[in-house]
Amino acid sequence: MKYNFDPNLPIYLQVIEEIKRDIFNERYLPGSKIPSVRELALQYGVNPNTIQKSLTELEREGLLRSERAVGRYVTDDTNSINKAQKEVSDGVVDNFIKEMKALGFSITQIVSMINERNR
Amino acid sequence: MKYNFDPNLPIYLQVIEEIKRDIFNERYLPGSKIPSVRELALQYGVNPNTIQKSLTELEREGLLRSERAVGRYVTDDTNSINKAQKEVSDGVVDNFIKEMKALGFSITQIVSMINERNR
Amino acid sequence: MKYNFDPNLPIYLQVIEEIKRDIFNERYLPGSKIPSVRELALQYGVNPNTIQKSLTELEREGLLRSERAVGRYVTDDTNSINKAQKEVSDGVVDNFIKEMKALGFSITQIVSMINERNR
Amino acid sequence: MKYNFDPNLPIYLQVIEEIKRDIFNERYLPGSKIPSVRELALQYGVNPNTIQKSLTELEREGLLRSERAVGRYVTDDTNSINKAQKEVSDGVVDNFIKEMKALGFSITQIVSMINERNR
DNA sequence: GTGGTCTAGACCACT
DNA sequence: GTGGTCTAGACCACC
């Protein structure tokens, strides 16, 4: 899996989204330890400082918790994970609908386009 | 109508999308004249050069046509308009589905979320 | 026959070239009368002033001669016509060879390209 | 090497042609780095924005590729280079033949004129 | 240092 | 007044 970052958006934000997806998708399980800053930096091909910034933000949002000199862990509060997931997906859906309406499509048309894509 | 541009994306790209929407939505009708570079610059609160760049791109995409010292017109080839609209909306839908799947949602879940939003 | 003028070049110069071609091609015969300024203006879809400017220049070059209140005539000095034709065509050829050499082609290649075009 | 631009044609177009020639002539080799926007601006005695415009166009034509904060490179796809060269030279040849025919010359005459020039 | 974007302001030819 | 071109100068993120 390669990481091609959109050069128009700050990389640290894109890393945040990536890690959130990993948590929501349970590639990182609740309560489990995530890779070190150095490892993540290698994985993403990004400066460790950038990873640092992303993780700090995720901590602030309550999805991660760090233990000094030990490592970083995904929160075991599945409730806040779900809440965060809902928040993100709601934002994505809202934004999508807004965009499609701006392009002149109705909800019905949008749904049928999505179903078509599924075939 | 105010235009709050996303500071993370080039303004000229956002103007392009805005004008495309205006064409797809038939706020600018096929074959009709669009406002001058200077007017659009005022409307969007942006430098005329920036508008120029956007319009040049739209011209290259075949959605606009310019007549020297006269003005710019929306193409009257509704076929290209529809094609362009399809291209844009397909991109938006694809991207949306990719994002939602990355967040762990199935097509069925996505559709139901959209329908909920409709109420 | 339509006249699509290159918007990047002064129209009067393009009219000059057009009329020169008509003379060299003997569509306007040596010593014959050419259409009036008004007629030419209609033919070319151009302002009479523009035609005026072109004809004055052609007079200066000795290809035309004007008789007050009568009309304009092609010179009957076929010698100067031939000389002018040679001058123009030499310029065209020189320019062409210069361009092609700048593109990395040898004379031999150029000649073969022209012969190919002839088939 | 001085650059005297034809005042009748946009500078950015002339720069495009100039750089194309440099690519076709292998003064800029496939895959190699070309001078920076600022350097080229100095070379040509032109504003960096003008160079930017030219390079953007060349990028869109697939002859150049740009890497953010690194530099611009000639494509290493020699195929596209050859295709572009053919396109340009075909245009030049076509135009030349059209002009010469308009001046009353046959292909045979044209070829002999070119061969004369070679001596 | 690099490419990329943007502003401000100017001039041109054409209508 | 219109589109088009150009300059000068600035700022940004990335390396």
Side-chain angles (χ1 to χ4, degrees), chain C residues 91-107:
Chain C
V92 171
V93 171
D94 274 358
N95 194 50
F96 168 67
I97 292 181
K98 209 182 81 195
E99 265 188 274
M100 292 302 283
K101 285 197 168 163
L103 284 171
F105 295 97
S106 68
I107 292 281

Side-chain angles (χ1 to χ4, degrees), chain A residues 100-105 109 113, chain B residues 20-21 23-26 63 78-92:
Chain A
M100 291 302 284
K101 285 197 167 164
L103 285 171
F105 295 97
Q109 285 175 302
M113 287 178 79
Chain B
K20 273 189 183 172
R21 282 193 279 269
I23 295 174
F24 299 152
N25 257 320
E26 304 196 317
L63 287 174
T78 54
N79 226 319
S80 337
I81 295 182
N82 290 335
K83 208 176 126 195
Q85 185 180 22
K86 182 155 177 41
E87 208 168 291
V88 172
S89 60
D90 276 5
V92 171

Side-chain angles (χ1 to χ4, degrees), chain B residues 9-12 46-47 49-50 53 68-70:
Chain B
L9 238 55
I11 293 177
Y12 81 95
V46 151
N47 189 285
N49 283 331
T50 304
K53 194 170 179 180
R68 240 194 209 280
V70 178

Side-chain angles (χ1 to χ4, degrees), chain A residues 60-101:
Chain A
R60 218 190 44 74
E61 296 186 21
L63 287 173
L64 296 181
R65 128 188 86 81
S66 76
E67 287 184 28
R68 241 185 206 280
V70 179
R72 272 197 177 76
Y73 295 84
V74 178
T75 180
D76 45 14
D77 175 4
T78 54
N79 225 319
S80 46
I81 293 181
N82 289 336
K83 209 176 123 196
Q85 183 180 22
K86 182 153 178 44
E87 207 169 293
V88 172
S89 61
D90 276 4
V92 171
V93 172
D94 274 359
N95 193 52
F96 170 66
I97 293 181
K98 210 182 82 194
E99 265 188 276
M100 291 302 284
K101 285 197 167 164

Side-chain angles (χ1 to χ4, degrees), chain C residues 56-105:
Chain C
T56 305
E57 171 62 20
L58 284 164
E59 250 170 75
R60 217 191 44 75
E61 296 186 21
L63 286 172
L64 297 181
R65 128 188 85 84
S66 77
E67 287 185 26
R68 241 184 205 279
V70 179
R72 272 196 178 76
Y73 296 84
V74 177
T75 179
D76 46 13
D77 174 5
T78 53
N79 225 320
S80 45
I81 293 182
N82 290 336
K83 208 177 126 197
Q85 183 179 23
K86 181 153 178 44
E87 205 169 295
V88 171
S89 61
D90 276 3
V92 171
V93 171
D94 274 358
N95 194 50
F96 168 67
I97 292 181
K98 209 182 81 195
E99 265 188 274
M100 292 302 283
K101 285 197 168 163
L103 284 171
F105 295 97

